Coordinates of all heavy atoms in Angstrom, one line a residue:
M602 N 16.6 9.5 -6.5 CA 16.8 8.5 -5.5 C 15.7 8.4 -4.6 O 15.1 9.4 -4.2 CB 18.2 8.9 -4.7 CG 18.5 7.9 -3.6 SD 20.0 8.5 -2.7 CE 20.4 7.0 -2.0
K603 N 15.2 7.2 -4.3 CA 14.1 7.0 -3.5 C 14.5 6.9 -2.1 O 15.6 6.4 -1.7 CB 13.4 5.6 -3.8 CG 12.8 5.7 -5.2 CD 12.0 4.5 -5.5 CE 11.5 4.6 -6.9 NZ 10.7 3.4 -7.3
D604 N 13.6 7.4 -1.1 CA 13.9 7.4 0.3 C 13.8 6.1 0.8 O 14.6 5.6 1.7 CB 13.0 8.3 1.0 CG 13.1 9.8 0.7 OD1 14.2 10.2 0.3 OD2 12.2 10.6 0.8
L605 N 12.9 5.2 0.4 CA 12.7 4.0 0.8 C 12.0 3.1 -0.3 O 11.1 3.6 -1.0 CB 11.8 3.9 2.1 CG 11.3 2.5 2.5 CD1 12.5 1.7 3.1 CD2 10.1 2.6 3.4
E606 N 12.4 1.9 -0.5 CA 11.7 1.0 -1.5 C 11.6 -0.4 -0.8 O 12.7 -0.9 -0.3 CB 12.5 1.0 -2.8 CG 11.8 0.2 -3.8 CD 12.3 0.2 -5.3 OE1 13.0 1.3 -5.5 OE2 12.2 -0.7 -5.9
F607 N 10.5 -0.9 -1.0 CA 10.3 -2.3 -0.4 C 9.7 -3.1 -1.5 O 8.6 -2.6 -2.1 CB 9.4 -2.3 0.8 CG 9.0 -3.7 1.3 CD1 9.9 -4.4 2.2 CD2 7.9 -4.3 0.8 CE1 9.6 -5.7 2.5 CE2 7.6 -5.6 1.3 CZ 8.4 -6.2 2.1
E608 N 10.1 -4.2 -1.9 CA 9.5 -5.1 -2.9 C 9.5 -6.5 -2.5 O 10.6 -7.0 -1.9 CB 10.3 -4.9 -4.3 CG 9.6 -5.6 -5.4 CD 10.3 -5.3 -6.8 OE1 10.5 -4.3 -6.9 OE2 10.5 -6.3 -7.4
Q609 N 8.4 -7.2 -2.6 CA 8.3 -8.6 -2.2 C 7.7 -9.3 -3.4 O 6.6 -9.0 -3.8 CB 7.5 -8.7 -0.9 CG 7.4 -10.0 -0.4 CD 6.5 -10.0 0.8 OE1 5.3 -9.8 0.8 NE2 7.1 -10.3 2.0
K610 N 8.3 -10.4 -3.9 CA 7.7 -11.3 -4.8 C 7.8 -12.6 -4.3 O 8.8 -13.2 -3.8 CB 8.5 -11.2 -6.1 CG 8.4 -9.8 -6.8 CD 9.2 -9.9 -8.1 CE 9.1 -8.5 -8.8 NZ 9.8 -8.6 -10.1
R611 N 6.6 -13.3 -4.3 CA 6.5 -14.7 -3.9 C 5.2 -15.3 -4.4 O 4.2 -14.6 -4.7 CB 6.6 -14.8 -2.3 CG 5.4 -14.1 -1.6 CD 5.7 -14.2 -0.1 NE 4.6 -13.5 0.6 CZ 3.7 -14.2 1.3 NH1 3.8 -15.4 1.5 NH2 2.8 -13.5 2.0
S612 N 5.1 -16.6 -4.4 CA 3.9 -17.3 -4.7 C 3.1 -17.5 -3.5 O 3.6 -17.7 -2.4 CB 4.2 -18.7 -5.3 OG 4.9 -18.6 -6.5
M613 N 1.8 -17.3 -3.6 CA 0.9 -17.5 -2.5 C -0.4 -18.1 -2.9 O -0.7 -18.0 -4.1 CB 0.7 -16.1 -1.7 CG 0.1 -15.1 -2.6 SD -0.3 -13.6 -1.6 CE 1.4 -13.0 -1.2
S614 N -1.1 -18.7 -1.9 CA -2.4 -19.1 -2.2 C -3.4 -17.9 -2.4 O -3.1 -16.8 -2.0 CB -3.0 -20.1 -1.1 OG -3.2 -19.3 0.0
R615 N -4.6 -18.3 -3.0 CA -5.7 -17.3 -3.1 C -6.1 -16.8 -1.7 O -6.2 -15.6 -1.5 CB -6.8 -18.0 -3.8 CG -8.1 -17.1 -4.0 CD -9.2 -17.7 -4.7 NE -9.4 -19.1 -4.3 CZ -10.2 -19.6 -3.3 NH1 -10.8 -18.6 -2.6 NH2 -10.4 -20.8 -3.1
I616 N -6.1 -17.6 -0.7 CA -6.4 -17.3 0.7 C -5.4 -16.4 1.3 O -5.7 -15.2 2.0 CB -6.7 -18.5 1.6 CG1 -7.9 -19.4 1.0 CG2 -6.9 -18.1 2.9 CD1 -9.2 -18.7 0.9
E617 N -4.1 -16.7 1.0 CA -3.0 -15.8 1.5 C -3.1 -14.4 0.9 O -2.9 -13.4 1.5 CB -1.7 -16.4 1.3 CG -1.4 -17.7 2.1 CD -0.1 -18.4 1.7 OE1 0.1 -18.5 0.4 OE2 0.6 -18.9 2.5
A618 N -3.4 -14.4 -0.5 CA -3.6 -13.2 -1.1 C -4.7 -12.3 -0.5 O -4.5 -11.1 -0.4 CB -3.7 -13.3 -2.6
A619 N -5.8 -12.9 -0.3 CA -7.0 -12.3 0.3 C -6.6 -11.6 1.7 O -7.0 -10.6 2.1 CB -8.1 -13.1 0.4
D620 N -5.9 -12.5 2.5 CA -5.3 -12.1 3.8 C -4.5 -10.8 3.6 O -4.6 -9.9 4.6 CB -4.7 -13.2 4.6 CG -5.6 -14.4 5.0 OD1 -6.9 -14.2 4.9 OD2 -5.1 -15.4 5.5
Q621 N -3.6 -10.9 2.8 CA -2.7 -9.7 2.6 C -3.5 -8.5 2.2 O -3.2 -7.3 2.7 CB -1.6 -9.9 1.5 CG -0.5 -9.0 1.7 CD 0.8 -9.5 1.1 OE1 0.8 -10.5 0.4 NE2 1.8 -8.8 1.3
L622 N -4.5 -8.7 1.3 CA -5.4 -7.5 1.0 C -6.2 -7.0 2.1 O -6.4 -5.8 2.2 CB -6.2 -7.9 -0.2 CG -5.5 -8.1 -1.6 CD1 -6.5 -8.6 -2.7 CD2 -5.0 -6.7 -2.1
D623 N -6.6 -8.0 2.9 CA -7.4 -7.6 4.2 C -6.6 -6.7 5.1 O -7.1 -5.7 5.7 CB -7.9 -8.8 4.9 CG -9.1 -9.5 4.3 OD1 -9.9 -8.8 3.4 OD2 -9.4 -10.6 4.6
A624 N -5.3 -7.1 5.3 CA -4.4 -6.4 6.1 C -4.1 -5.0 5.6 O -4.1 -4.1 6.3 CB -3.1 -7.2 6.2
L625 N -4.0 -4.9 4.3 CA -3.8 -3.6 3.7 C -5.1 -2.7 3.9 O -5.0 -1.6 4.3 CB -3.5 -3.8 2.3 CG -3.4 -2.4 1.5 CD1 -2.3 -1.5 2.0 CD2 -3.0 -2.6 -0.1
A626 N -6.3 -3.3 3.7 CA -7.4 -2.6 3.9 C -7.6 -2.1 5.2 O -8.1 -1.0 5.6 CB -8.7 -3.4 3.3
A627 N -7.3 -2.9 6.2 CA -7.4 -2.6 7.6 C -6.5 -1.4 8.0 O -6.8 -0.5 8.7 CB -7.1 -3.8 8.5
A628 N -5.3 -1.5 7.5 CA -4.3 -0.4 7.7 C -4.9 0.9 7.0 O -4.7 2.0 7.6 CB -2.9 -0.8 7.1
M629 N -5.4 0.8 5.9 CA -5.9 2.0 5.2 C -7.2 2.6 6.0 O -7.3 3.7 6.1 CB -6.3 1.7 3.7 CG -5.0 1.4 3.0 SD -5.3 1.2 1.2 CE -5.2 2.8 0.7
R630 N -8.0 1.7 6.5 CA -9.2 2.2 7.3 C -8.7 2.9 8.5 O -9.2 3.9 8.9 CB -10.0 1.0 7.6 CG -11.0 0.6 6.6 CD -12.1 -0.4 7.1 NE -12.6 -1.1 5.9 CZ -12.2 -2.2 5.4 NH1 -11.1 -2.9 5.9 NH2 -12.7 -2.7 4.3
K631 N -7.7 2.4 9.2 CA -7.1 3.0 10.4 C -6.5 4.3 10.1 O -6.7 5.2 10.9 CB -6.1 2.0 11.0 CG -5.5 2.6 12.3 CD -4.5 1.6 12.9 CE -4.0 2.2 14.2 NZ -2.6 2.1 14.4
G632 N -5.8 4.4 9.0 CA -5.0 5.7 8.7 C -3.9 6.0 9.8 O -3.6 5.2 10.5
G633 N -3.5 7.2 9.7 CA -2.5 7.6 10.5 C -1.2 6.7 10.3 O -0.9 6.3 9.2
N634 N -0.6 6.5 11.4 CA 0.7 5.6 11.3 C 0.1 4.1 11.4 O -0.1 3.7 12.6 CB 1.7 5.9 12.4 CG 2.4 7.1 12.1 OD1 2.8 7.4 10.9 ND2 2.8 7.9 13.1
A635 N 0.0 3.4 10.4 CA -0.7 2.2 10.4 C 0.3 1.1 10.2 O 1.0 1.1 9.2 CB -1.8 2.1 9.2
P636 N 0.4 0.1 11.1 CA 1.3 -1.1 10.8 C 0.7 -2.0 9.7 O -0.6 -2.3 9.7 CB 1.3 -1.8 12.2 CG 0.0 -1.4 12.8 CD -0.4 -0.1 12.3
L637 N 1.5 -2.4 8.9 CA 1.2 -3.2 7.8 C 2.1 -4.5 7.8 O 3.3 -4.4 7.6 CB 1.3 -2.4 6.5 CG 0.9 -3.3 5.1 CD1 -0.5 -3.7 5.2 CD2 1.0 -2.4 3.9
E638 N 1.4 -5.7 8.0 CA 2.2 -6.9 8.0 C 2.4 -7.4 6.5 O 1.5 -7.5 5.8 CB 1.6 -7.9 8.9 CG 1.6 -7.6 10.3 CD 1.2 -8.8 11.2 OE1 1.4 -9.9 10.8 OE2 0.6 -8.5 12.3
L639 N 3.6 -7.6 6.1 CA 4.0 -8.0 4.8 C 4.8 -9.3 4.9 O 6.0 -9.3 5.0 CB 4.8 -6.9 4.0 CG 4.0 -5.6 3.9 CD1 5.0 -4.5 3.4 CD2 2.9 -5.7 3.0
G640 N 4.1 -10.5 4.9 CA 4.8 -11.7 5.0 C 5.5 -11.8 6.3 O 4.8 -11.5 7.4
P641 N 6.8 -12.0 6.4 CA 7.4 -12.2 7.7 C 7.8 -10.8 8.4 O 8.1 -10.9 9.6 CB 8.8 -12.9 7.3 CG 9.0 -12.4 5.8 CD 7.7 -12.3 5.3
G642 N 7.6 -9.7 7.7 CA 8.0 -8.4 8.3 C 6.8 -7.5 8.5 O 5.7 -7.8 8.2
K643 N 7.1 -6.4 9.2 CA 6.0 -5.4 9.4 C 6.5 -4.1 9.0 O 7.7 -3.7 9.3 CB 5.6 -5.4 10.8 CG 4.5 -4.5 11.2 CD 4.1 -4.6 12.7 CE 3.4 -5.9 13.0 NZ 2.9 -5.9 14.4
L644 N 5.8 -3.3 8.4 CA 6.0 -1.9 7.9 C 5.1 -1.0 8.5 O 3.8 -1.3 8.4 CB 6.1 -1.9 6.4 CG 6.5 -0.6 5.7 CD1 7.9 -0.2 6.0 CD2 6.4 -0.7 4.2
S645 N 5.4 0.2 9.0 CA 4.5 1.2 9.5 C 4.5 2.4 8.5 O 5.5 2.9 8.2 CB 5.0 1.6 10.9 OG 4.0 2.6 11.3
L646 N 3.3 2.7 8.0 CA 3.2 3.7 7.0 C 2.2 4.7 7.6 O 1.2 4.5 8.2 CB 2.6 3.2 5.7 CG 3.4 2.2 4.9 CD1 2.5 1.7 3.7 CD2 4.6 2.9 4.4
R647 N 2.5 6.0 7.3 CA 1.5 7.1 7.5 C 0.6 7.2 6.4 O 1.0 7.6 5.3 CB 2.3 8.5 7.8 CG 1.2 9.5 8.3 CD 1.9 10.9 8.0 NE 2.1 11.3 6.7 CZ 1.2 11.5 5.7 NH1 -0.1 11.6 6.0 NH2 1.7 11.7 4.4
I648 N -0.6 6.9 6.6 CA -1.6 6.9 5.5 C -2.6 8.1 5.8 O -3.3 8.0 6.7 CB -2.4 5.6 5.4 CG1 -1.4 4.3 5.2 CG2 -3.4 5.5 4.3 CD1 -2.0 3.0 5.3
P649 N -2.5 9.0 4.8 CA -3.4 10.2 5.0 C -4.8 9.9 4.5 O -5.2 8.8 4.1 CB -2.8 11.2 4.0 CG -2.3 10.3 2.8 CD -1.8 9.1 3.5
D650 N -5.8 10.9 4.8 CA -7.2 10.7 4.4 C -7.4 10.7 2.9 O -8.3 10.1 2.5 CB -8.0 11.8 5.1 CG -8.1 11.7 6.6 OD1 -7.8 10.6 7.1 OD2 -8.4 12.7 7.2
E651 N -6.6 11.4 2.2 CA -6.8 11.5 0.7 C -5.5 10.9 0.0 O -4.4 11.2 0.4 CB -6.9 12.9 0.2 CG -8.2 13.6 0.8 CD -9.4 13.1 0.1 OE1 -9.3 12.8 -1.0 OE2 -10.4 13.1 0.9
L652 N -5.7 10.1 -0.9 CA -4.7 9.5 -1.7 C -5.1 9.2 -3.2 O -6.3 9.3 -3.5 CB -4.1 8.3 -1.1 CG -5.2 7.2 -0.6 CD1 -5.5 6.2 -1.5 CD2 -4.4 6.5 0.6
R653 N -4.2 9.0 -4.0 CA -4.5 8.7 -5.6 C -4.4 7.2 -5.7 O -3.5 6.5 -5.1 CB -3.5 9.4 -6.3 CG -3.7 10.9 -6.3 CD -2.7 11.6 -7.3 NE -1.3 11.3 -7.2 CZ -0.4 11.7 -6.4 NH1 -0.8 12.4 -5.4 NH2 0.8 11.2 -6.5
C654 N -5.3 6.6 -6.6 CA -5.2 5.2 -6.9 C -5.2 5.0 -8.4 O -5.8 5.7 -9.2 CB -6.5 4.6 -6.3 SG -6.6 2.8 -6.7
E655 N -4.5 4.0 -8.8 CA -4.4 3.6 -10.2 C -4.6 2.0 -10.2 O -3.9 1.3 -9.6 CB -3.0 3.9 -10.7 CG -2.8 3.4 -12.1 CD -1.4 3.9 -12.7 OE1 -0.9 4.9 -12.4 OE2 -0.9 3.0 -13.5
L656 N -5.5 1.7 -11.1 CA -5.8 0.3 -11.2 C -5.5 -0.2 -12.6 O -6.0 0.5 -13.5 CB -7.3 0.0 -10.9 CG -7.9 -1.4 -11.0 CD1 -7.1 -2.4 -10.1 CD2 -9.3 -1.5 -10.9
E657 N -4.8 -1.2 -12.8 CA -4.4 -1.6 -14.1 C -4.5 -3.2 -14.3 O -4.1 -3.9 -13.4 CB -2.9 -1.2 -14.3 CG -2.3 -1.5 -15.7 CD -0.9 -1.0 -15.9 OE1 -0.5 0.0 -15.2 OE2 -0.1 -1.7 -16.6
V658 N -5.2 -3.5 -15.4 CA -5.3 -5.0 -15.7 C -4.7 -5.2 -17.1 O -5.0 -4.5 -18.0 CB -6.8 -5.4 -15.7 CG1 -6.9 -6.9 -16.0 CG2 -7.4 -5.2 -14.3
E659 N -3.8 -6.2 -17.2 CA -3.2 -6.6 -18.4 C -3.4 -8.0 -18.7 O -3.2 -8.9 -17.8 CB -1.7 -6.2 -18.4 CG -1.3 -4.7 -18.3 CD 0.2 -4.6 -18.4 OE1 1.0 -5.5 -18.8 OE2 0.5 -3.5 -18.0
V660 N -3.8 -8.3 -19.9 CA -4.0 -9.8 -20.3 C -3.2 -10.1 -21.5 O -3.2 -9.4 -22.4 CB -5.5 -10.1 -20.7 CG1 -5.7 -11.5 -20.9 CG2 -6.4 -9.7 -19.5
G661 N -2.4 -11.0 -21.4 CA -1.4 -11.4 -22.5 C -0.5 -12.5 -22.1 O -0.1 -12.6 -21.0
G662 N 0.0 -13.2 -23.1 CA 1.0 -14.2 -22.8 C 0.5 -15.3 -21.9 O 1.3 -15.9 -21.2
G663 N -0.8 -15.5 -21.9 CA -1.4 -16.6 -21.0 C -1.5 -16.2 -19.6 O -1.7 -17.1 -18.8
E664 N -1.4 -14.9 -19.2 CA -1.4 -14.5 -17.8 C -2.3 -13.3 -17.8 O -2.5 -12.5 -18.8 CB 0.0 -14.1 -17.3 CG 0.9 -15.2 -17.1 CD 2.2 -14.7 -16.5 OE1 2.7 -13.6 -16.6 OE2 2.8 -15.6 -15.7
I665 N -2.9 -13.1 -16.6 CA -3.5 -11.8 -16.2 C -2.7 -11.1 -15.1 O -2.3 -11.8 -14.1 CB -5.0 -12.1 -15.7 CG1 -5.8 -12.8 -16.9 CG2 -5.6 -10.9 -15.2 CD1 -7.1 -13.2 -16.4
E666 N -2.5 -9.8 -15.3 CA -1.7 -9.1 -14.2 C -2.7 -7.9 -13.8 O -3.3 -7.2 -14.5 CB -0.5 -8.4 -14.9 CG 0.2 -7.6 -14.0 CD 1.5 -7.0 -14.5 OE1 2.0 -7.5 -15.5 OE2 2.0 -6.0 -13.9
L667 N -2.9 -8.0 -12.4 CA -3.7 -7.0 -11.7 C -2.8 -6.1 -10.8 O -2.1 -6.7 -10.0 CB -4.8 -7.7 -10.9 CG -5.6 -6.8 -10.0 CD1 -6.4 -5.8 -10.8 CD2 -6.5 -7.6 -9.2
E668 N -2.7 -4.9 -11.2 CA -1.9 -4.0 -10.3 C -2.7 -2.9 -9.7 O -3.5 -2.2 -10.4 CB -0.9 -3.3 -11.3 CG 0.4 -2.9 -10.8 CD 1.4 -2.5 -11.8 OE1 1.7 -3.3 -12.6 OE2 1.8 -1.4 -11.8
I669 N -2.5 -2.8 -8.4 CA -3.2 -1.7 -7.7 C -2.2 -0.8 -7.0 O -1.3 -1.4 -6.3 CB -4.2 -2.2 -6.5 CG1 -5.2 -3.3 -7.2 CG2 -4.9 -1.1 -5.8 CD1 -6.0 -3.9 -6.2
E670 N -2.2 0.5 -7.4 CA -1.2 1.3 -6.9 C -1.8 2.5 -6.2 O -2.7 3.2 -6.7 CB -0.4 1.9 -8.1 CG 0.8 2.7 -7.8 CD 1.6 3.0 -9.0 OE1 2.4 2.1 -9.5 OE2 1.5 4.2 -9.5
F671 N -1.3 2.8 -5.0 CA -1.9 4.0 -4.2 C -0.6 4.9 -4.0 O 0.5 4.5 -3.8 CB -2.2 3.6 -2.8 CG -3.5 2.6 -2.9 CD1 -3.4 1.2 -2.7 CD2 -4.7 3.2 -3.0 CE1 -4.6 0.4 -2.8 CE2 -5.9 2.4 -3.2 CZ -5.8 1.0 -3.0
K672 N -0.9 6.2 -4.2 CA 0.2 7.2 -4.1 C -0.3 8.3 -3.2 O -1.5 8.7 -3.2 CB 0.6 7.8 -5.3 CG 1.3 6.9 -6.2 CD 1.7 7.6 -7.6 CE 2.5 6.7 -8.5 NZ 2.9 7.4 -9.7
W673 N 0.6 8.9 -2.4 CA 0.2 10.1 -1.6 C 1.5 10.8 -1.2 O 2.6 10.3 -1.3 CB -0.6 9.7 -0.3 CG 0.1 8.8 0.7 CD1 0.9 9.2 1.7 CD2 0.0 7.4 0.6 NE1 1.4 8.0 2.4 CE2 0.8 6.9 1.9 CE3 -0.7 6.5 -0.1 CZ2 0.9 5.6 2.2 CZ3 -0.6 5.1 0.3 CH2 0.3 4.7 1.3
Q674 N 1.3 12.1 -1.0 CA 2.5 13.0 -0.6 C 3.0 12.6 0.8 O 2.1 12.4 1.7 CB 2.0 14.4 -0.6 CG 1.7 15.0 -2.0 CD 2.9 14.9 -3.1 OE1 4.0 15.3 -2.6 NE2 2.6 14.4 -4.2
I675 N 4.2 12.8 1.0 CA 4.9 12.7 2.4 C 4.7 14.0 3.0 O 4.9 15.0 2.4 CB 6.4 12.3 2.3 CG1 6.4 11.0 1.6 CG2 7.0 12.4 3.6 CD1 7.9 10.6 1.4
G676 N 4.2 14.1 4.2 CA 3.9 15.3 5.0 C 2.7 15.3 5.8 O 2.1 14.2 5.9
P677 N 2.3 16.3 6.5 CA 1.2 16.3 7.3 C -0.1 16.1 6.5 O -0.2 16.6 5.4 CB 1.2 17.6 8.1 CG 2.2 18.5 7.3 CD 3.1 17.6 6.5
D678 N -1.1 15.5 7.2 CA -2.4 15.4 6.7 C -3.1 16.8 6.5 O -2.7 17.7 7.1 CB -3.3 14.5 7.5 CG -3.1 13.1 7.5 OD1 -2.6 12.6 6.5 OD2 -3.4 12.3 8.5
R679 N -4.0 16.8 5.7 CA -4.8 18.1 5.6 C -5.4 18.4 6.9 O -5.9 17.6 7.5 CB -5.9 18.0 4.4 CG -5.4 18.0 3.0 CD -6.5 17.8 2.1 NE -6.1 17.5 0.8 CZ -6.8 17.3 -0.2 NH1 -8.1 17.4 -0.1 NH2 -6.3 17.0 -1.4
G680 N -5.4 19.7 7.2 CA -6.0 20.0 8.5 C -5.0 20.0 9.6 O -5.1 20.5 10.7
E681 N -3.8 19.2 9.5 CA -2.9 19.1 10.5 C -1.8 20.4 10.3 O -1.5 20.6 9.2 CB -1.9 17.9 10.4 CG -2.4 16.7 11.2 CD -1.6 15.6 11.1 OE1 -0.3 15.8 10.9 OE2 -2.1 14.5 11.1
S682 N -1.3 21.0 11.4 CA -0.4 22.1 11.2 C 1.0 21.4 11.0 O 1.3 20.4 11.5 CB -0.4 23.0 12.3 OG 0.2 22.4 13.5
A683 N 1.8 22.1 10.3 CA 3.2 21.6 10.1 C 4.0 21.4 11.4 O 4.9 20.8 11.5 CB 4.0 22.5 9.2
E684 N 3.5 22.3 12.5 CA 4.3 22.2 13.7 C 3.9 21.0 14.6 O 4.7 20.7 15.5 CB 4.0 23.5 14.5 CG 4.6 24.8 14.0 CD 3.6 25.5 13.0 OE1 2.3 25.4 13.3 OE2 4.0 26.0 12.0
S685 N 2.7 20.4 14.4 CA 2.3 19.3 15.2 C 3.1 18.1 14.9 O 3.6 17.9 13.9 CB 0.8 19.0 15.1 OG 0.6 18.6 13.8
S686 N 3.4 17.3 16.0 CA 4.2 16.1 15.8 C 3.4 14.9 16.1 O 2.4 14.8 16.6 CB 5.4 16.0 16.8 OG 5.4 17.0 17.8

């Protein structure tokens, strides 16, 4: 069972897609508890200094699919003590 899952599917312009990627990049640069605007809503994520990334490109059926996936452990950042809040 997942603790939280958020999925959003919609059509958008190239500019809107770039804006969403810019917002994600800004949140990742900030790190810590970063607010991330996702269309009409906002989600706050704790983004650590180290994370894993998977990039996948599939071509077939007349479409190109580009998938970028970031994963990280839930818990304190490296260097933070478990007691700090």
Side-chain angles (χ1 to χ4, degrees):
M602 180 179 197
K603 294 185 180 179
D604 293 332
L605 171 72
E606 184 171 334
F607 174 87
E608 186 173 315
Q609 181 182 69
K610 293 182 181 183
R611 64 185 177 107
S612 294
M613 61 178 65
S614 71
R615 178 176 45 84
I616 299 300
E617 289 171 320
D620 288 345
Q621 193 157 15
L622 289 171
D623 281 342
L625 175 59
M629 293 185 86
R630 277 188 199 93
K631 180 179 182 227
N634 287 323
L637 179 59
E638 291 192 31
L639 300 168
K643 189 181 282 190
L644 180 65
S645 182
L646 294 174
R647 186 200 57 79
I648 302 175
D650 290 339
E651 297 288 327
L652 42 91
R653 295 181 311 278
C654 178
E655 181 179 322
L656 178 65
E657 185 177 325
V658 177
E659 293 181 17
V660 179
E664 289 185 332
I665 297 175
E666 180 178 335
L667 170 64
E668 203 171 300
I669 304 170
E670 183 174 284
F671 295 101
K672 291 183 181 182
W673 58 89
Q674 295 294 317
I675 297 173
D678 282 336
R679 289 184 191 176
E681 270 184 32
S682 72
E684 292 91 34
S685 62
S686 13

